[in-house]
Amino acid sequence: MVLLKLIKRFYAIIFLTLVVAISATLLGLTHSLTADQILRQEHARFMAYLERMFPDMDYFEHEEELYVIYNVDDEIEGYAFIGSAPGYSSTIRVMVGLEDKATVKQVMIIAHTETPGIGDRIEDEDFTGQFAGLPVDRIYLNSDDVDSITGATQSANAVIRAISEAVEEIFKEQSD
Amino acid sequence: MTDLLAIFIGMALINNFVLVKFLGLCPFFGVSKKLTNAFSMSMAVTFVMLMASAVTWPITHYILIPLDAEYLRTVVYILVIATLVQIIELFIMRTNYSLYSAFGIYLALITTNCAVMGVTLVNTDEGFTFVESMVSALGAGTGFGLVLVLMSGIRERLEISQLPDSMKGLPVAFLVAALMGLAFSGFAGMV
Amino acid sequence: MIKWIKEFSKGLVVSNPIFVLALGLCPALAVTNTLDNAIGMSGAVMFVLLCSNMLVAVIRPWVSGIVRIPTFIVIIATFVTIVSLVFQAYIPALYESLGIYLPLIVVNCMILGRAEAFASRNKLSLSIADALGMSLGFMAAIVLIAVIRETLGTGALTFFGITLFTLPVLDEQPVSLFLLPAGAFLAIGLLLAVFRKWGLIKND
């Protein structure tokens, strides 16, 4: 009797607690079902970018934030790192491949949601192609060797900043 | 200090919640018919944004992330916001009834205001520290208030202007918002 | 059956969530810059609305009055999280381009509004009709806006990588304004005005 009265009195609280508990259980279940797939997906995407950049890649090793790419004969094929900076409407993430520790091989935009038709011109070969062969220390805002994009300055500058900030961080650590 | 200023300006002007991120549009079009209402609404929203950011930050960083349960954030954040709004409503009702009669109805609307939820999500996505989160909430609220007050001023004038029937009300409000959006896009690149 | 059809069809035109009720405007503007985003968003909204309407209609006798809204919010948030986890796992490109607007479905006034105003007062079959009609109306509206914005803004229309058509002059000189936030407001404002002129929706 007393118990029934108590339940009646706190029915709303008990009910809501129950709802939240069921919700959390359901989500935990969904999370555990999708977690592997999400990780696999991210890993596959990352590998796809690396393989496009270094077709002869066999495996890679971490050297702090720098990825060292090896070919089948255990020779160093090149290096890669990831940088990011806020653009016009999103955070832009870039992957930079290096020939050796000083020269850029290729730049790829791996994630952004900039305005289609305007900001997303950072993906164009016209823009990303200009980085190939440049020494890493020549890439910074307003550098003579790097052109921005007319009409999409903020997105383009974000790419340049993403690269230069990552370069500064990685190579400062290594020269110390 | 400059970082904090950059966040504030970024949230208030460059990535204005209403005109650029399209958050909080329901109150933007619903409550912007009169200047006084718009002002009260934006004060209430700013206050709730600050409170929500202050509460969700420790929850995210001391509970969700250590437990590896970040996928629960949507549920947790919305519950926090709904609870906060209720508590604030009760508190104001008990302590200051004149304030309650001025803000009360807006508070009830805030639970489903995407701008409040948006601030908490942006704070987590950007990885802001506690202080940065508070500044970003303040910036977002200020930007929201600024646009809401500007809009209501314009709409008060529109009420007495001659318009084609099919443009009256919502359609012309959208066009005004488009022009304001163009003006605000001039802030891009400020930081 | 007639009642079912009535509840289903009202969401499409008479009380279209976007154009008539002006609910759920945030996604209507934010993710209509491309057709893909609009379709992804309306798919997610349809799933959440259908599930939450169904569940609310089923548990409605047990829901206690004072915690009604929090209960609905938790239910909606649960389905939103499920959708975003599934999107993240299987269609990551879409997940990324929808960004924070995916979790923000939780505060989409349309979904809570339907749970509170319809599903908590009607039986299951009618709640399903309501959810389907409303989400199809939502989809029709945001796909229409997205088609206009993408076509004018880029001079072409693409559907998940397939180019549907390219316009001759606009292709060279697209009206990129329509891709900017301001263009979203402009497109919806003009559409609303045109619909009113044609008498499809009533004036205020």
Side-chain angles (χ1 to χ4, degrees), chain A residues 11-13 15-16 19-20 23 26-27 30-31 33-34 37-38 41-42 45 88 110-113 115-118, chain C residues 33-34 59 62-64 66-67 70-71 74-75 78 81-82 85-86 88-90 92 96-97 154 176 179-181:
Chain A
Y11 177 73
I13 298 170
F15 181 80
L16 192 58
V19 170
V20 174
S23 145
L26 252 175
L27 288 182
T30 325
H31 174 71
L33 285 176
T34 50
Q37 175 66 21
I38 291 172
Q41 194 78 252
E42 278 168 5
R45 242 165 37 133
Y88 178 72
I110 57 177
H112 76 92
T113 47
T115 322
I118 304 172
Chain C
N33 47 9
T34 65
I59 63 166
W62 297 286
V63 177
S64 156
I66 45 169
V67 291
T71 308
V74 173
I75 290 173
T78 310
T81 312
I82 291 177
L85 284 172
V86 170
Q88 196 182 358
Y90 296 99
E96 238 158 63
S97 67
T154 63
S176 359
L179 296 175
L180 293 176

Side-chain angles (χ1 to χ4, degrees), chain A residues 95-164:
Chain A
M95 184 188 270
V96 183
L98 303 175
E99 301 269 3
D100 48 59
K101 282 193 177 173
T103 323
V104 175
K105 178 181 166 71
Q106 198 181 353
V107 170
M108 281 180 179
I109 313 294
I110 57 177
H112 76 92
T113 47
E114 298 296 284
T115 322
I118 304 172
D120 74 350
R121 281 188 288 164
I122 52 170
E123 287 181 341
D124 290 354
E125 182 60 34
D126 285 350
F127 178 68
T128 54
Q130 64 174 328
F131 297 106
L134 275 186
V136 285
D137 57 359
R138 293 297 303 155
I139 301 178
Y140 49 85
L141 278 189
N142 306 324
S143 159
D144 293 336
D145 300 323
V146 183
D147 291 326
S148 184
I149 303 176
T150 316
T153 320
Q154 229 194 332
S155 310
N157 283 354
V159 174
I160 300 168
R161 260 175 54 198
I163 303 173
S164 62

